[in-house]
Amino acid sequence: MTVLITGATRGIGLALAQCAADRGDQVIATYRGSLPSQSREIDWHMLDVTDPQAHRQLSDRLAAKPLSLLVCNAGVYLEKGHQLERDYRAQDWAETFAVNVTGVFLTIQSFLPQVRAGKGKIAIISSQMGSDNTASGGSYIYRASKAAVLNLGRNLAVDLRSEGIPVGIYHPGWVQTDMGGHYAQITPQEAAQGLMQRFSVLSVKTTGCFECWDGRTHPF
Ligand SMILES: NC(=O)c1ccc[n+]([C@@H]2O[C@H](COP(=O)([O-])OP(=O)(O)OC[C@H]3O[C@@H](n4cnc5c(N)ncnc54)[C@H](OP(=O)(O)O)[C@@H]3O)[C@@H](O)[C@H]2O)c1
């Protein structure tokens, strides 16, 4: 298996990369700033997912690498503590959507040839916060971006089904990362192990699914 994971310098992305490497996969992981210290057996490439030129360059460099799995993990949550009437600048909306939505689209668009060549699968890390069903208020930008990427994944699933390329959308759990915070419910390793299990059973029969890390189906 050859797996490409975006935003793998820390948190869930790093745990996914380590989990895949541990089971013997060939792991291609992307970073945008500095590399993590523990990066054994991982082939690192620089990629800011908001940069179309960087996508083109990396896709050209990896042109001969068929992918079994493409994981769109990179994401931001910029609005902690935002107040409805005081904060929420237009720039916060633009920056969040550039990473969490456009970044995912550009990743899939850029590496679709390699996914086709590898008869691979696509996994999008969204969030329960993208679900209309579990709307509990606040975090308007992040919630809207994760709802948008859920919608993107559902529509790509329709379009790629005839090619046999499944697309799954996932809630990774509330995870102890820089984004999730210390009080979150599960470790990045637990999230990664659960997600890898979900990716392994993703198929054209289940394409378009919205699932939690532990296998529960998430309401849309
Ligand atoms: N933690 C949770 O409880 C939770 C819950 C639901 C969903 N999620 C989702 O799970 C994914 C991973 O979250 P996490 O908790 O692991 O977050 P994290 O610890 O904040 O890590 C985010 C990762 O995304 C990368 N990234 C951010 N902007 C990028 C860009 N423009 N280009 C490339 N990489 C970029 C970061 O790279 P740098 O190191 O360079 O900043 C980092 O590697 C995200 O999509 C998040 O929305 C997390």
Side-chain angles (χ1 to χ4, degrees), residues 156-171:
L156 284 170
V158 171
D159 290 337
L160 296 176
R161 187 189 186 111
S162 61
E163 295 188 53
I165 299 173
V167 181
I169 306 106
Y170 299 92
H171 169 55

PDB file of all heavy atoms in Angstrom, residues 156-171:
ATOM      1  N   LEU A 156     -18.104  14.195  -4.831  1.00  0.00           N
ATOM      2  CA  LEU A 156     -16.999  13.488  -5.490  1.00  0.00           C
ATOM      3  C   LEU A 156     -17.266  11.985  -5.498  1.00  0.00           C
ATOM      4  O   LEU A 156     -16.927  11.287  -6.452  1.00  0.00           O
ATOM      5  CB  LEU A 156     -15.680  13.779  -4.778  1.00  0.00           C
ATOM      6  CG  LEU A 156     -15.071  15.152  -5.049  1.00  0.00           C
ATOM      7  CD1 LEU A 156     -13.899  15.411  -4.093  1.00  0.00           C
ATOM      8  CD2 LEU A 156     -14.597  15.267  -6.500  1.00  0.00           C
ATOM      9  N   ALA A 157     -17.879  11.497  -4.408  1.00  0.00           N
ATOM     10  CA  ALA A 157     -18.203  10.064  -4.335  1.00  0.00           C
ATOM     11  C   ALA A 157     -19.110   9.660  -5.502  1.00  0.00           C
ATOM     12  O   ALA A 157     -18.920   8.602  -6.115  1.00  0.00           O
ATOM     13  CB  ALA A 157     -18.870   9.740  -3.000  1.00  0.00           C
ATOM     14  N   VAL A 158     -20.074  10.521  -5.830  1.00  0.00           N
ATOM     15  CA  VAL A 158     -20.974  10.240  -6.956  1.00  0.00           C
ATOM     16  C   VAL A 158     -20.180  10.219  -8.260  1.00  0.00           C
ATOM     17  O   VAL A 158     -20.289   9.304  -9.081  1.00  0.00           O
ATOM     18  CB  VAL A 158     -22.096  11.308  -7.020  1.00  0.00           C
ATOM     19  CG1 VAL A 158     -22.906  11.182  -8.304  1.00  0.00           C
ATOM     20  CG2 VAL A 158     -22.993  11.205  -5.796  1.00  0.00           C
ATOM     21  N   ASP A 159     -19.333  11.219  -8.453  1.00  0.00           N
ATOM     22  CA  ASP A 159     -18.628  11.351  -9.729  1.00  0.00           C
ATOM     23  C   ASP A 159     -17.539  10.299  -9.930  1.00  0.00           C
ATOM     24  O   ASP A 159     -17.227   9.953 -11.067  1.00  0.00           O
ATOM     25  CB  ASP A 159     -18.022  12.760  -9.846  1.00  0.00           C
ATOM     26  CG  ASP A 159     -19.104  13.813 -10.018  1.00  0.00           C
ATOM     27  OD1 ASP A 159     -20.205  13.449 -10.469  1.00  0.00           O
ATOM     28  OD2 ASP A 159     -18.855  14.983  -9.689  1.00  0.00           O
ATOM     29  N   LEU A 160     -16.941   9.812  -8.851  1.00  0.00           N
ATOM     30  CA  LEU A 160     -15.816   8.874  -8.994  1.00  0.00           C
ATOM     31  C   LEU A 160     -16.234   7.416  -8.851  1.00  0.00           C
ATOM     32  O   LEU A 160     -15.437   6.512  -9.071  1.00  0.00           O
ATOM     33  CB  LEU A 160     -14.720   9.217  -7.967  1.00  0.00           C
ATOM     34  CG  LEU A 160     -14.080  10.599  -8.161  1.00  0.00           C
ATOM     35  CD1 LEU A 160     -13.071  10.897  -7.052  1.00  0.00           C
ATOM     36  CD2 LEU A 160     -13.400  10.706  -9.531  1.00  0.00           C
ATOM     37  N   ARG A 161     -17.504   7.220  -8.510  1.00  0.00           N
ATOM     38  CA  ARG A 161     -17.999   5.854  -8.302  1.00  0.00           C
ATOM     39  C   ARG A 161     -17.822   4.978  -9.548  1.00  0.00           C
ATOM     40  O   ARG A 161     -17.381   3.831  -9.470  1.00  0.00           O
ATOM     41  CB  ARG A 161     -19.485   5.924  -7.934  1.00  0.00           C
ATOM     42  CG  ARG A 161     -20.050   4.614  -7.534  1.00  0.00           C
ATOM     43  CD  ARG A 161     -21.577   4.663  -7.375  1.00  0.00           C
ATOM     44  NE  ARG A 161     -22.008   3.394  -6.864  1.00  0.00           N
ATOM     45  CZ  ARG A 161     -22.500   3.187  -5.656  1.00  0.00           C
ATOM     46  NH1 ARG A 161     -22.709   4.192  -4.854  1.00  0.00           N
ATOM     47  NH2 ARG A 161     -22.827   1.996  -5.273  1.00  0.00           N
ATOM     48  N   SER A 162     -18.150   5.560 -10.728  1.00  0.00           N
ATOM     49  CA  SER A 162     -18.076   4.752 -11.959  1.00  0.00           C
ATOM     50  C   SER A 162     -16.643   4.336 -12.276  1.00  0.00           C
ATOM     51  O   SER A 162     -16.413   3.379 -12.998  1.00  0.00           O
ATOM     52  CB  SER A 162     -18.674   5.524 -13.134  1.00  0.00           C
ATOM     53  OG  SER A 162     -17.921   6.706 -13.323  1.00  0.00           O
ATOM     54  N   GLU A 163     -15.674   5.054 -11.714  1.00  0.00           N
ATOM     55  CA  GLU A 163     -14.266   4.680 -11.918  1.00  0.00           C
ATOM     56  C   GLU A 163     -13.782   3.702 -10.854  1.00  0.00           C
ATOM     57  O   GLU A 163     -12.618   3.317 -10.840  1.00  0.00           O
ATOM     58  CB  GLU A 163     -13.367   5.921 -11.863  1.00  0.00           C
ATOM     59  CG  GLU A 163     -13.600   6.913 -12.976  1.00  0.00           C
ATOM     60  CD  GLU A 163     -12.535   8.005 -12.943  1.00  0.00           C
ATOM     61  OE1 GLU A 163     -11.338   7.670 -12.931  1.00  0.00           O
ATOM     62  OE2 GLU A 163     -12.915   9.179 -12.896  1.00  0.00           O
ATOM     63  N   GLY A 164     -14.661   3.382  -9.911  1.00  0.00           N
ATOM     64  CA  GLY A 164     -14.264   2.451  -8.845  1.00  0.00           C
ATOM     65  C   GLY A 164     -13.411   3.091  -7.777  1.00  0.00           C
ATOM     66  O   GLY A 164     -12.711   2.402  -7.035  1.00  0.00           O
ATOM     67  N   ILE A 165     -13.484   4.443  -7.685  1.00  0.00           N
ATOM     68  CA  ILE A 165     -12.696   5.139  -6.649  1.00  0.00           C
ATOM     69  C   ILE A 165     -13.644   5.556  -5.527  1.00  0.00           C
ATOM     70  O   ILE A 165     -14.462   6.468  -5.701  1.00  0.00           O
ATOM     71  CB  ILE A 165     -11.988   6.386  -7.222  1.00  0.00           C
ATOM     72  CG1 ILE A 165     -11.020   5.965  -8.325  1.00  0.00           C
ATOM     73  CG2 ILE A 165     -11.267   7.162  -6.112  1.00  0.00           C
ATOM     74  CD1 ILE A 165     -10.385   7.136  -9.065  1.00  0.00           C
ATOM     75  N   PRO A 166     -13.570   4.906  -4.358  1.00  0.00           N
ATOM     76  CA  PRO A 166     -14.449   5.295  -3.260  1.00  0.00           C
ATOM     77  C   PRO A 166     -13.929   6.529  -2.515  1.00  0.00           C
ATOM     78  O   PRO A 166     -12.723   6.729  -2.380  1.00  0.00           O
ATOM     79  CB  PRO A 166     -14.455   4.071  -2.344  1.00  0.00           C
ATOM     80  CG  PRO A 166     -13.272   3.266  -2.702  1.00  0.00           C
ATOM     81  CD  PRO A 166     -12.731   3.742  -4.024  1.00  0.00           C
ATOM     82  N   VAL A 167     -14.892   7.319  -2.031  1.00  0.00           N
ATOM     83  CA  VAL A 167     -14.573   8.523  -1.253  1.00  0.00           C
ATOM     84  C   VAL A 167     -15.317   8.415   0.079  1.00  0.00           C
ATOM     85  O   VAL A 167     -16.547   8.302   0.101  1.00  0.00           O
ATOM     86  CB  VAL A 167     -15.033   9.802  -1.993  1.00  0.00           C
ATOM     87  CG1 VAL A 167     -14.675  11.048  -1.179  1.00  0.00           C
ATOM     88  CG2 VAL A 167     -14.421   9.883  -3.387  1.00  0.00           C
ATOM     89  N   GLY A 168     -14.572   8.439   1.183  1.00  0.00           N
ATOM     90  CA  GLY A 168     -15.191   8.409   2.509  1.00  0.00           C
ATOM     91  C   GLY A 168     -14.917   9.700   3.249  1.00  0.00           C
ATOM     92  O   GLY A 168     -13.873  10.335   3.053  1.00  0.00           O
ATOM     93  N   ILE A 169     -15.882  10.078   4.087  1.00  0.00           N
ATOM     94  CA  ILE A 169     -15.742  11.314   4.876  1.00  0.00           C
ATOM     95  C   ILE A 169     -15.808  10.885   6.347  1.00  0.00           C
ATOM     96  O   ILE A 169     -16.673  10.072   6.721  1.00  0.00           O
ATOM     97  CB  ILE A 169     -16.867  12.323   4.535  1.00  0.00           C
ATOM     98  CG1 ILE A 169     -16.904  12.584   3.015  1.00  0.00           C
ATOM     99  CG2 ILE A 169     -16.644  13.643   5.277  1.00  0.00           C
ATOM    100  CD1 ILE A 169     -18.029  11.942   2.291  1.00  0.00           C
ATOM    101  N   TYR A 170     -14.920  11.459   7.172  1.00  0.00           N
ATOM    102  CA  TYR A 170     -14.743  10.921   8.521  1.00  0.00           C
ATOM    103  C   TYR A 170     -14.729  11.996   9.601  1.00  0.00           C
ATOM    104  O   TYR A 170     -14.179  13.082   9.403  1.00  0.00           O
ATOM    105  CB  TYR A 170     -13.432  10.121   8.590  1.00  0.00           C
ATOM    106  CG  TYR A 170     -13.463   8.965   7.625  1.00  0.00           C
ATOM    107  CD1 TYR A 170     -12.973   9.121   6.326  1.00  0.00           C
ATOM    108  CD2 TYR A 170     -14.057   7.761   7.966  1.00  0.00           C
ATOM    109  CE1 TYR A 170     -13.060   8.086   5.401  1.00  0.00           C
ATOM    110  CE2 TYR A 170     -14.155   6.715   7.053  1.00  0.00           C
ATOM    111  CZ  TYR A 170     -13.654   6.894   5.772  1.00  0.00           C
ATOM    112  OH  TYR A 170     -13.763   5.866   4.864  1.00  0.00           O
ATOM    113  N   HIS A 171     -15.323  11.616  10.755  1.00  0.00           N
ATOM    114  CA  HIS A 171     -15.130  12.357  12.006  1.00  0.00           C
ATOM    115  C   HIS A 171     -14.092  11.583  12.801  1.00  0.00           C
ATOM    116  O   HIS A 171     -14.328  10.410  13.148  1.00  0.00           O
ATOM    117  CB  HIS A 171     -16.446  12.464  12.786  1.00  0.00           C
ATOM    118  CG  HIS A 171     -16.242  12.965  14.181  1.00  0.00           C
ATOM    119  ND1 HIS A 171     -15.599  14.145  14.451  1.00  0.00           N
ATOM    120  CD2 HIS A 171     -16.557  12.401  15.395  1.00  0.00           C
ATOM    121  CE1 HIS A 171     -15.524  14.312  15.764  1.00  0.00           C
ATOM    122  NE2 HIS A 171     -16.096  13.281  16.349  1.00  0.00           N
TER     123      HIS A 171
END
